[in-house]
Amino acid sequence: MTTPNPQLDAQGNLKHFLTIEGLSREFLSEILDKAEGFLAVAQQAVKKVPLCRGKVVANLFFENSTRTRTTFELAAKRLSADVLNLNISTSATAKGETLLDTLRNLEAMHVDMFVVRHASSGTAHFMAAHADPHVCIVNAGDGRHAHPTQAMLDMFTIRRHKPDFTRLRVAIVGDILHSRVARSQILALKTLGVPDVRVIAPRTLLPTRVEEAFGVTAHHDLREGVRDADVVIMLRIQRERMNSALLPSEHEYFQLFGLTEARLSTAQPEAIVMHPGPINRGVEMDSQVADGPRSVILEQVSNGIAVRMAVMSMCLGNQNLNSQGQGELFHG
Ligand code: CP
């Protein structure tokens, strides 16, 4: 017997967005297609559509964020939702209030969607399991586990440059061990049909049995790993998640795994370079590459708004479907 996917309702519609796991290629493509339609909103004089008017979205970020929090906020505002940004350091969490009590109190204020980032893996799933039936939970990054909207904005950015996933060679370089982004990216790439996904890292920064567990090939030499790659994704070294010294020094890491123009020369001439941010310049990559012609790093940030609009409007649209027995989201 298969376990039901906790992010889908009984009709198979998106209710929460917690992980890429268990979502089909068609489902991921639908998110990408919807996001395509939302790109134009940024070009309008009034950057808003009324799709989620009257809905309330609460951003709960228990870990630091620049890109994810602000693009979720902008996405919600562009959908005409009202947005609450809870400042965790000045909230009652700092006085010992539990996550569930925070959830219950904000539900009492009729919040429709929680966007949650937390250092503990599984937090978004936990909230989804305990939220009121009409409430949507979106995972904005939980521990090492998942960062599904980051993966989808990365897939969106790749597709705009390289439309056929089934012909791509994608190299993911860096701290795979601690990276929720890498886990979600690998799942999304494999689901969308990418035949060649490689991870490149020192042995200490790769999960055990990574090739069998993730269906990727592992490399420990950067030039070899990026050879003929169409897409090179660099990851941040996550010092905050390292319990012990897994790296000799950042300087030494850069000497072996930092992306420079010279090391990128084995990739395809039209290869794109990505990074989810924040970048540690001179650790993961050289500024010449980060700011160079093959970098699409800032495009990733812009695309994040459209992709998050797609995910939020799908979840909140299905919320209407479930609570009112009709699919009418588009009023106004
Ligand atoms: N990519 C990403 O999650 O960035 P932030 O930590 O700034 O949100």
Side-chain angles (χ1 to χ4, degrees), residues 61 63-71 117 140-141 147 150 153 180-181 236 275-278 308:
F61 278 65
E63 266 193 343
N64 295 344
S65 169
T66 296
R67 282 145 290 271
T68 311
R69 200 197 62 72
T70 48
T71 53
R117 169 171 287 191
H147 195 348
Q150 177 69 47
L153 74 88
R180 56 195 176 206
V181 173
R236 184 173 68 85
H275 193 305
R308 288 174 173 133

Side-chain angles (χ1 to χ4, degrees), residues 177-197:
L177 181 65
H178 301 101
S179 178
R180 56 195 176 206
V181 173
R183 280 168 178 72
S184 293
Q185 285 171 336
I186 292 167
L187 278 169
L189 289 165
K190 306 285 292 178
T191 304
L192 289 165
V194 175
D196 182 351
V197 182

Side-chain angles (χ1 to χ4, degrees), residues 14-171:
L14 198 64
K15 177 171 164 51
H16 309 291
F17 194 52
L18 308 174
T19 173
I20 302 294
E21 202 172 346
L23 297 180
S24 66
R25 187 171 181 165
E26 290 68 33
F27 218 111
L28 299 190
S29 300
E30 187 188 339
I31 293 172
L32 299 180
D33 293 344
K34 270 199 197 303
E36 210 60 64
F38 283 125
L39 271 187
V41 177
Q43 309 308 322
Q44 294 173 192
V46 178
K47 298 181 185 61
K48 266 189 192 299
V49 288
L51 300 185
C52 296
R53 199 167 62 187
K55 300 293 182 189
V56 182
V57 175
N59 275 328
L60 300 185
F61 278 65
F62 295 87
E63 266 193 343
N64 295 344
S65 169
T66 296
R67 282 145 290 271
T68 311
R69 200 197 62 72
T70 48
T71 53
F72 264 114
E73 180 174 353
L74 277 174
K77 287 179 171 170
R78 287 189 186 173
L79 290 166
S80 306
D82 295 318
V83 183
L84 291 175
N85 286 307
L86 199 72
N87 184 339
I88 299 299
S89 62
T90 58
S91 74
T93 302
K95 300 182 199 166
E97 185 171 72
T98 67
L99 181 63
L100 274 188
D101 281 333
T102 302
L103 175 69
R104 293 278 171 261
N105 279 271
L106 290 167
E107 280 177 344
M109 300 174 207
H110 304 286
V111 168
D112 297 290
M113 171 178 277
F114 291 88
V115 177
V116 61
R117 169 171 287 191
H118 203 285
S120 297
S121 298
T123 299
H125 279 76
F126 175 78
M127 287 181 72
H130 290 88
D132 272 357
H134 76 281
V135 166
C136 309
I137 305 293
V138 177
N139 186 359
D142 62 327
R144 301 182 188 189
H145 172 237
H147 195 348
T149 59
Q150 177 69 47
M152 289 312 296
L153 74 88
D154 295 335
M155 298 307 113
F156 184 81
T157 306
I158 292 172
R159 194 175 77 163
R160 288 185 68 79
H161 288 269
K162 316 272 177 194
D164 187 356
F165 283 109
T166 66
R167 297 165 67 90
L168 292 185
R169 285 169 284 236
V170 179

Side-chain angles (χ1 to χ4, degrees), residues 291-312:
D291 305 326
R294 296 201 262 186
S295 168
V296 296
I297 293 170
L298 294 178
E299 275 180 52
Q300 290 173 261
V301 178
S302 303
N303 292 339
I305 301 172
V307 169
R308 288 174 173 133
M309 287 174 79
V311 168
M312 293 170 114

